[in-house]
Amino acid sequence: MASNSFKASRSNLSTSSDMLDSQNGKPPLPPHVTFARRTSSGRYTSYSRDDLDSELSSSDFINYTVHMPPTPDNQPSNPVSQKLEEQYVSSSLFTGGHNSITRAHLMDKVIESESNHPQMAGSKGSSCAVNGCDGKVMSDERGNDVLPCECDFKICRDCYIDALKTGEGICPGCKEQYKMTDWDEAMDNWQTLPQLPPPASKMEKRLSLMKSRKSVLVRSQTVDFDHNRWLFETKGTYGYGNAFWPKDGGLDNDKNCDTVEPMNKPWRPLTRKLKVPAGIISPYRLLVAVRMVVLGLFLTWRIRHPNNDAVWLWGMSVVCEIWFTFSWILDQLPKLCPINRATDLNVLKEKFETPNPGNPTGKSDLPGIDIFISTADPEKEPPLVTANTILSVLAADYPVEKLACYVSDDGGALLTFEAMAEAASFANIWVPFCRKHSIEPRNPESYFNLKKDPYKNKVLKDFVKDRRRVKREYDEFKVRINGLPDSIRRRSDAYHAREEIKAMTERRQMKENEPSETVKIKKATWMADGTHWPGTWLDASADHSKGDHAGIIQVMLKPPSEDPLGGTAEDSGFIDLTGVDIRLPLLVYVSREKRPGYDHNKKAGAMNALVRASAIMSNGAFILNLDCDHYIYNSQAMREGMCFMMDRGGDRICYVQFPQRFEGIDPSDRYANRNTVFFDGNMRALDGLQGPVYVGTGCLFRRIALYGFDPPRSKEHSATFCSCCFGHRKRQSLSAVVNTSEENKALRMGDSDDEEMINHSLAPKMFGNSILLIDSIPVAEFQGRPLADHPAVKNGRPSGALTIPRDLLDASTVAEAISVISCWYENKTEWGQRVGWIYGSVTEDVVTGYRMHNRGWKSVYCITKRDAFRGTAPINLTDRLHQVLRWATGSVEIFFSRNNALLASSRMKVLQRIAYLNVGIYPFTSIFLIVYCFLPALSLFSGQFIVQTLNVTFLTYLLIITVTLCSLAVLEVKWAGIELEEWWRNEQFWLIGGTSAHLAAVFQGLLKIVAGVEISFTLTSKSGGDDDDDEFADLYVVKWTSLMIPPIVIIMVNLIAVAVGISRTIYSVIPQWSRLLGGVFFSFWVLAHLYPFAKGLMGRRGRTPTIVFVWSGLIAIIISLLWVAINPPSGANQIGGSFQFP
């Protein structure tokens, strides 16, 4: 392996990067590469071994740096040299960070198994046959060797250029003159090109090329456009639709006949709003109003009619009921405007992937998408799960050249790195198989475990054979993944033993007469190519632990070619891929730098590092973030989301949130893990306002919204009291729109191309000092615009603007990406404050979405017919409670922060503000809920009730409130499309979580606010129980946690109180049956909600001994009798007649 050092041009990169150039007032240029010796081909090499790694000292390795100087044979527009540079980049592991040199370690191999795909890092290739050269032979897109001479002498690109320039074009193999080839002609053409001044940056050049494309709808934004003609008139007739008439008036099927221009076609939207039927939503709103009125009257009656015999009991109950009413109103008001949405993928294909005057080739004009997959600990997040998620992304139905996948490994583990490499290798078989046979889902683990018929709707005759072979390959793939931990440890032990023997031998040679002593060497973790892993070692050491390691970037799969690459029968030894596109999307491994003393901000910090690195390497206009256990279940999910982003008005949408769907949940969904009431009810209702909240995964972001910009045309949109709920109204006063508070300021997005989007003097303070990152912002904004194919589109782009080929990756670009993921880059910038994922809360997802809505952006909820994504959820009671604890603690933090909805700007609608206010307030309901759960027991113990008597008025109010609640539940089930059982499970877990996790969250949040005690959470383990035969074994595992104490106490106290109340009533001379019935009714209400919790404590079904139930009953009876003996009813101690209570 060769180590290629990218040294900064300044002596101190960390200090110079924070300063502006005093001469021109511009930020400094990014660090470039320095050299030692220049060859005739333009490559600079150095045979110095000063900065070689310690593990390479046993052999002679070349320490060289790669730089492409602007010579005639090596211009930026040189496609051959750029592709070779990109091939070099994809085979190198880039490392670096704060106060350290950025290095590119050329990888001979990434995994121990062979890599055959031409895009794969470390792919197997021929070596140059020239003596003294270890370069790779030139190859084409398929990975085949390119041999310029008929003698088939293998030669690398640099040696070939040296032979042309210094060897008079003589082949080193056969000693004959090279014949004129395409490569020679291209080289001659490059040498004769005039030397033009290079543009300011690659990003500015690309933006200039995209904006130079002209739109067919040249008058789309003028007032003189004839709407009637544009919508309805065609060449042959008037009316709705299009008529395509041949010139001669015949009805033949001549394909060469002229058709009407696309601007004469009726404009078709990409999405539609589907309102909830009036027969459901109108009664629902009416019942909400009725229940609010009844609750007001009930509380008024309760306050005016206290229970003088038990004022304390009456007072506690009234306070709790007032809070419950307030909490219910906060939860119910945002549900008044639910809507459904539908997309039209055929229209998307027609607009963006069909030949038209602006895009005559029909090449995909869709914008790029960067997909982020986050993982942190391979022990709790199994590598096989992450690998399956990666495979589902690589096989997604989206233009390959527009897709890029970034995997964030926040633990810097070699296990994750090699598992990802194995996934990239297996994708060579899996992805073409999915494309050939239209496989769904494209997660191999889920696909091969489908219980339905896998052969349904499959028409190709070789499907059975292909599926059998791919299944066998996947089984072997799983064995390799599961064996990686042992493989890495055995490899590291072997290399460590070799190093110890080598060190002892050297020591013995230096001191021949002295007795040999044991030499201690740090036990490193070794990669497959025999070098030290730069990330976290199995045995933690300085610079190699979870919180202390260098930044790492590895291009696992280099960017694909722009044109489809059809497969052949020889491309895979397993299945016939003739006519199948075998390209794979860009796949990048990223592990940000971590150093002691820096706050790395958990997942939010990792996401922001990916935002910056992806902006430099691929700069997709949209970002899809997924957890490592959430895979793409619907291969066209991204197209569905793109329908909203590319539709008219889509430029004001900051993100498209997809619902979370889960696998592996027990059939009864004991702990409401599916959370369908929230995902199908609350989120659908918020979609009718300003949009759903961001829930952390399965969300398609507009990159420019993450950068902290205001939405386009923000000057025209402001919120009034009426429009806050049901619409917008244009207003010209800027002061009414812009909130002047510091935390709500945002960068202004230009509403036209003439407006400057970024103040370049302030940009480094916002985004850092990376020139490439700052230059990429206008490009991302332009690429995310919808098509200017309608007069109402005020911020569109011309058709065909995104068909321009992407810029090829070079070493300096990846080196710049290394610098932006360093631990110091965010210092004195707005990252985490106003830019990117927001810091300061364990629920960074909600805060990030809130900030976008607060700036005036809208979001959309996309429920697809086939689930877009699927993941896993903890079915164990303890894990579920800890998950809820984390969410509730984040809500408490939000309530006591500047992200409280009470401080929102005027751009946020009132009902949207109420929804966010409820997000911050709901954990405090636990205080009143736990008191209310003890009230029935206190009533039974004391013989009193919350009211003086159970009169007709109280019972009438109680009946109306109960009936309206049940009616609302039925109607909500109707418009949300969920089951009544799911609603009931949600109600049960609301009480379970409210009396346990929510209460603990309130105390933890207050401790953090008052005492500054930081809260730490661990990842939820995704491993199952010990029983491999039971899919739901983890459901029955009882893991003790202090969160279980309050619900257990509530259950025991209410059970004892029921026994005591019954005993007291029986022993009384004048039994108070009304008070008993009231207390027992509410006690059973509490116990019915806590039933799933009690069932979870019993463990596996059928394993609870009968003696447990016997002793529970005996203890309840004994305690009740003791209570009656200690405090007998006044006036008597007998039961009816002669029986004397002892």
Side-chain angles (χ1 to χ4, degrees):
M1 183 191 79
S3 177
N4 314 331
S5 302
F6 289 86
K7 301 179 180 179
S9 60
R10 301 173 185 254
S11 59
N12 191 337
L13 178 59
S14 63
T15 57
S16 64
S17 61
D18 295 332
M19 299 184 298
L20 296 176
D21 194 332
S22 59
Q23 297 179 358
N24 53 21
K26 295 181 179 180
L29 294 175
H32 60 270
V33 186
T34 57
F35 317 98
R37 183 179 68 85
R38 181 183 184 277
T39 64
S40 58
S41 63
R43 185 180 69 178
Y44 289 78
T45 63
S46 172
Y47 292 91
S48 171
R49 295 171 55 185
D50 296 336
D51 52 357
L52 287 179
D53 295 336
S54 60
E55 67 269 19
L56 301 178
S57 58
S58 60
S59 305
D60 293 332
F61 290 89
I62 300 176
N63 177 23
Y64 66 91
T65 59
V66 176
H67 178 61
M68 297 300 177
T71 56
D73 65 324
N74 203 353
Q75 288 291 319
S77 59
N78 184 333
V80 176
S81 61
Q82 287 184 354
K83 288 185 178 181
L84 291 173
E85 172 81 353
E86 187 175 63
Q87 186 175 0
Y88 155 77
V89 168
S90 66
S91 298
S92 300
L93 178 72
F94 287 77
T95 62
H98 182 43
N99 286 335
S100 61
I101 297 174
T102 300
R103 299 177 180 272
H105 307 277
L106 191 61
M107 304 283 290
D108 293 333
K109 61 179 181 177
V110 180
I111 52 178
E112 295 182 355
S113 58
E114 292 186 0
S115 303
N116 297 321
H117 197 278
Q119 292 179 235
M120 177 71 181
S123 58
K124 186 177 180 180
S126 303
S127 299
C128 180
V130 176
N131 293 331
C133 180
D134 60 351
K136 295 287 186 181
V137 174
M138 298 179 291
S139 60
D140 58 13
E141 294 176 343
R142 298 181 181 274
N144 300 323
D145 294 342
V146 175
L147 306 177
C149 185
E150 294 180 351
C151 68
D152 292 342
F153 181 81
K154 296 182 178 180
I155 188 171
C156 68
R157 181 252 182 191
D158 292 313
C159 292
Y160 176 59
I161 295 178
D162 287 341
L164 292 179
K165 298 183 65 176
T166 63
E168 298 181 355
I170 296 177
C171 174
C174 62
K175 307 301 181 182
E176 294 184 2
Q177 189 81 20
Y178 279 117
K179 294 183 179 180
M180 292 300 294
T181 63
D182 294 338
W183 285 63
D184 301 317
E185 295 172 359
M187 199 68 65
D188 293 338
N189 293 333
W190 298 330
Q191 292 177 358
T192 59
L193 285 174
Q195 298 300 315
L196 299 176
S201 70
K202 294 189 298 183
M203 295 296 181
E204 292 182 3
K205 178 182 177 181
R206 181 172 182 82
L207 183 61
S208 175
L209 288 173
M210 290 188 298
K211 288 187 176 181
S212 65
R213 306 297 289 264
K214 300 298 182 181
S215 174
V216 177
L217 190 60
V218 292
R219 294 179 295 171
S220 63
Q221 301 179 26
T222 59
V223 296
D224 58 343
F225 190 88
D226 189 352
H227 295 270
N228 292 329
R229 178 186 179 276
W230 187 76
L231 286 174
F232 306 120
E233 183 178 350
T234 64
K235 191 172 182 179
T237 184
Y238 288 88
Y240 292 96
N242 299 323
F244 284 48
W245 295 84
K247 287 183 178 180
D248 55 359
L251 297 176
D252 56 7
N253 295 324
D254 185 10
K255 296 182 179 181
N256 297 323
C257 63
D258 295 335
T259 59
V260 190
E261 294 182 357
M263 63 178 295
N264 288 330
K265 295 182 181 180
W267 182 83
R268 298 168 63 190
L270 293 169
T271 63
R272 291 176 295 129
K273 284 186 180 180
L274 306 176
K275 294 184 179 181
V276 178
I280 297 176
I281 195 63
S282 296
Y284 181 79
R285 292 170 178 169
L286 179 62
L287 281 175
V288 170
V290 170
R291 194 167 195 265
M292 291 177 65
V293 172
V294 172
L295 284 173
L297 296 174
F298 172 71
L299 292 176
T300 303
W301 181 86
R302 290 277 282 124
I303 294 173
R304 292 180 177 178
H305 297 79
N307 184 359
N308 297 321
D309 296 336
V311 177
W312 58 275
L313 194 64
W314 167 83
M316 287 193 298
S317 64
V318 169
V319 171
C320 292
E321 288 163 1
I322 292 174
W323 179 266
F324 292 152
T325 302
F326 172 69
S327 177
W328 177 81
I329 291 174
L330 289 183
D331 181 67
Q332 200 65 49
L333 285 180
K335 294 182 179 180
L336 295 178
C337 309
I339 63 170
N340 297 311
R341 297 183 186 268
T343 60
D344 195 334
L345 296 181
N346 293 326
V347 177
L348 183 75
K349 184 176 182 62
E350 178 183 335
K351 288 188 176 184
F352 293 92
E353 296 179 318
T354 303
N356 57 66
N359 182 17
T361 61
K363 189 177 179 180
S364 178
D365 197 24
L366 289 170
I369 299 179
D370 294 338
I371 302 179
F372 296 169
I373 301 175
S374 58
T375 182
D377 190 348
E379 294 182 359
K380 294 186 177 181
E381 297 171 330
L384 182 61
V385 175
T386 305
N388 274 276
T389 301
I390 294 173
L391 290 169
S392 70
V393 169
L394 298 180
D397 184 8
Y398 200 79
V400 182
E401 67 277 7
K402 302 295 182 72
L403 209 57
C405 179
Y406 295 83
V407 179
S408 171
D409 178 18
D410 225 26
L414 180 59
L415 176 58
T416 304
F417 177 84
E418 295 200 0
M420 180 177 170
E422 289 285 357
S425 178
F426 178 70
N428 184 30
I429 304 171
W430 173 250
V431 175
F433 169 71
C434 292
R435 291 172 182 165
K436 178 180 179 181
H437 297 288
S438 301
I439 299 299
E440 293 286 353
R442 300 191 175 182
N443 176 326
E445 183 70 20
S446 299
Y447 171 71
F448 289 120
N449 288 332
L450 286 177
K451 296 181 180 179
K452 65 179 183 180
D453 183 10
Y455 308 109
K456 186 178 180 180
N457 299 327
K458 302 303 177 185
V459 296
L460 297 181
K461 297 180 180 179
D462 56 352
F463 170 72
V464 176
K465 179 185 65 175
D466 291 350
R467 185 181 186 277
R468 187 182 301 116
R469 292 180 176 178
V470 174
K471 177 64 167 63
R472 183 174 64 249
E473 288 297 314
Y474 177 66
D475 291 338
E476 296 177 0
F477 165 75
K478 287 201 297 184
V479 171
R480 292 196 300 270
I481 292 288
N482 294 329
L484 280 178
D486 293 336
S487 175
I488 293 173
R489 185 168 292 279
R490 287 196 305 268
R491 180 203 308 152
S492 300
D493 291 342
Y495 277 114
H496 180 69
R498 188 194 69 177
E499 290 296 309
E500 284 186 337
I501 295 173
K502 177 184 173 182
M504 292 180 62
T505 303
E506 292 178 353
R507 185 180 183 89
R508 192 178 298 113
Q509 291 176 354
M510 293 175 61
K511 301 178 180 181
E512 297 179 355
N513 298 326
E514 297 182 8
S516 60
E517 298 178 358
T518 303
V519 180
K520 294 184 179 180
I521 300 177
K522 291 183 179 179
K523 192 171 183 180
T525 300
W526 295 74
M527 293 188 289
D529 66 340
T531 58
H532 283 176
W533 168 244
T536 301
W537 288 354
L538 297 176
D539 298 311
S541 177
D543 296 331
H544 295 285
S545 61
K546 285 188 177 181
D548 184 13
H549 62 80
I552 308 171
I553 291 181
Q554 169 71 62
V555 181
M556 288 289 183
L557 292 172
K558 68 179 182 180
S561 59
E562 290 295 320
D563 299 321
L565 186 62
T568 62
E570 291 78 18
D571 283 329
S572 176
F574 305 98
I575 58 178
D576 184 7
L577 300 179
T578 303
V580 180
D581 190 359
I582 63 172
R583 295 177 301 163
L584 299 176
L586 171 67
L587 178 62
V588 183
Y589 171 90
V590 179
S591 181
R592 59 179 173 146
E593 182 191 20
K594 286 190 173 182
R595 298 299 178 191
Y598 287 87
D599 186 1
H600 300 106
N601 297 295
K602 303 181 179 66
K603 179 182 177 181
M607 290 294 99
N608 285 339
L610 286 186
V611 171
R612 297 190 295 270
S614 63
I616 291 174
M617 298 182 67
S618 57
N619 198 29
F622 299 95
I623 294 172
L624 173 66
N625 86 292
L626 298 172
D627 288 342
C628 65
D629 60 330
H630 273 72
Y631 68 92
I632 298 179
Y633 187 75
N634 182 353
S635 62
Q636 293 190 325
M638 286 177 285
R639 291 180 178 269
E640 301 254 10
M642 204 55 61
C643 287
F644 296 101
M645 294 294 192
M646 293 291 103
D647 205 6
R648 183 178 60 180
D651 56 339
R652 291 183 55 83
I653 296 176
C654 56
Y655 60 81
V656 176
Q657 178 65 62
F658 295 86
Q660 292 186 20
R661 306 300 187 197
F662 302 102
E663 295 178 335
I665 306 296
D666 54 299
S668 63
D669 194 12
R670 180 185 295 176
Y671 306 122
N673 293 95
R674 291 191 175 90
N675 213 358
T676 52
V677 173
F678 173 76
F679 286 116
D680 291 333
N682 298 59
M683 296 285 276
R684 195 190 301 260
L686 288 176
D687 197 17
L689 304 177
Q690 201 171 338
V693 298
Y694 167 44
V695 294
T697 183
C699 188
L700 182 66
F701 281 99
R702 183 179 298 275
R703 181 183 287 271
I704 207 69
L706 281 172
Y707 285 154
F709 286 91
D710 285 344
R713 305 178 300 284
S714 58
K715 301 177 184 179
E716 305 174 6
H717 295 262
S718 62
T720 63
F721 184 79
C722 297
S723 66
C724 285
C725 306
F726 305 106
H728 289 96
R729 189 178 72 183
K730 292 187 178 181
R731 182 181 293 182
Q732 299 301 324
S733 175
L734 181 61
S735 60
V737 179
V738 180
N739 191 319
T740 58
S741 60
E742 182 65 25
E743 62 269 16
N744 290 325
K745 285 183 180 178
L747 294 175
R748 180 69 57 192
M749 179 185 295
D751 291 340
S752 66
D753 292 341
D754 297 332
E755 286 189 54
E756 186 176 2
M757 183 178 176
I758 303 174
N759 187 334
H760 286 276
S761 63
L762 299 177
K765 297 180 181 179
M766 296 290 295
F767 304 103
N769 55 13
S770 172
I771 301 297
L772 284 178
L773 175 60
I774 296 173
D775 289 343
S776 71
I777 296 175
V779 178
E781 189 275 333
F782 184 82
Q783 290 177 336
R785 296 182 182 182
L787 286 181
D789 61 347
H790 190 278
V793 178
K794 298 181 180 180
N795 191 37
R797 61 172 174 85
S799 176
L802 303 188
T803 59
I804 301 172
R806 59 167 183 82
D807 296 323
L808 299 179
L809 278 180
D810 55 21
S812 60
T813 301
V814 184
E816 181 73 6
I818 282 287
S819 69
V820 300
I821 65 171
S822 61
C823 58
W824 58 268
Y825 185 83
E826 293 183 353
N827 290 350
K828 299 179 181 180
T829 67
E830 295 293 338
W831 284 99
Q833 306 301 320
R834 283 184 288 176
V835 180
W837 270 259
I838 306 301
Y839 302 153
S841 174
V842 295
T843 52
E844 71 287 333
D845 45 6
V846 177
V847 178
T848 302
Y850 166 80
R851 289 291 187 89
M852 295 181 186
H853 286 142
N854 201 32
R855 289 193 291 267
W857 289 95
K858 295 178 61 178
S859 60
V860 167
Y861 199 51
C862 180
I863 301 180
T864 56
K865 185 176 180 180
R866 177 184 176 87
D867 294 344
F869 308 98
R870 283 194 178 180
T872 58
I875 61 175
N876 180 264
L877 176 59
T878 303
D879 293 338
R880 176 72 164 131
L881 290 178
H882 282 142
Q883 183 186 57
V884 174
L885 172 63
R886 177 180 176 273
W887 296 342
T889 304
S891 296
V892 175
E893 292 175 345
I894 292 172
F895 182 79
F896 288 108
S897 70
R898 64 183 183 182
N899 299 308
N900 191 316
L902 294 174
L903 306 176
S905 69
S906 59
R907 298 180 184 178
M908 184 177 290
K909 295 182 178 181
V910 170
L911 292 184
Q912 188 80 15
R913 188 179 306 192
I914 291 175
Y916 273 114
L917 182 62
N918 187 42
V919 169
I921 283 180
Y922 81 88
F924 296 96
T925 304
S926 61
I927 300 174
F928 304 92
L929 183 61
I930 199 167
V931 172
Y932 210 73
C933 287
F934 280 111
L935 286 182
L938 295 175
S939 175
L940 291 170
F941 281 133
S942 63
Q944 301 294 331
F945 196 53
I946 58 177
V947 293
Q948 191 78 34
T949 58
L950 290 176
N951 54 23
V952 177
T953 305
F954 175 77
L955 294 176
T956 302
Y957 277 125
L958 189 62
L959 178 63
I960 295 175
I961 292 173
T962 305
V963 170
T964 53
L965 176 65
C966 296
S967 302
L968 284 174
V970 172
L971 291 175
E972 187 172 337
V973 163
K974 288 282 187 180
W975 62 255
I978 60 178
E979 300 293 335
L980 194 59
E981 181 184 3
E982 294 174 328
W983 177 86
W984 171 238
R985 290 297 187 202
N986 182 77
E987 292 294 309
Q988 287 180 312
F989 196 79
W990 169 75
L991 193 141
I992 295 172
T995 56
S996 56
H998 295 176
L999 186 64
V1002 171
F1003 288 112
Q1004 286 190 356
L1006 292 176
L1007 277 176
K1008 181 178 180 180
I1009 300 300
V1010 177
V1013 178
E1014 288 295 330
I1015 306 166
S1016 61
F1017 292 93
T1018 57
L1019 289 172
T1020 302
S1021 177
K1022 297 175 176 62
S1023 58
D1026 298 332
D1027 192 352
D1028 296 333
D1029 297 332
D1030 193 341
E1031 182 182 358
F1032 310 114
D1034 206 27
L1035 178 68
Y1036 312 110
V1037 178
V1038 180
K1039 306 174 186 176
W1040 174 253
T1041 175
S1042 58
L1043 298 177
M1044 295 180 177
I1045 295 177
I1048 290 176
V1049 173
I1050 291 174
I1051 292 175
M1052 295 301 297
V1053 169
N1054 276 276
L1055 285 174
I1056 294 173
V1058 170
V1060 168
I1062 294 175
S1063 301
R1064 176 184 295 278
T1065 304
I1066 293 175
Y1067 278 102
S1068 297
V1069 176
I1070 304 177
Q1072 299 290 331
W1073 292 105
S1074 62
R1075 294 179 179 179
L1076 173 67
L1077 291 177
V1080 170
F1081 173 79
F1082 283 107
S1083 288
F1084 275 112
W1085 176 85
V1086 173
L1087 294 174
H1089 280 76
L1090 290 174
Y1091 172 73
F1093 176 84
K1095 193 174 182 180
L1097 291 180
M1098 297 178 184
R1100 184 178 295 277
R1101 55 182 178 269
R1103 292 189 179 181
T1104 304
T1106 306
I1107 194 64
V1108 172
F1109 301 101
V1110 175
W1111 276 106
S1112 298
L1114 290 176
I1115 291 173
I1117 294 173
I1118 292 172
I1119 293 176
S1120 63
L1121 292 175
L1122 286 174
W1123 179 271
V1124 175
I1126 295 172
N1127 186 18
S1130 58
N1133 59 356
Q1134 295 183 357
I1135 303 178
S1138 60
F1139 180 79
Q1140 183 74 27
F1141 187 78

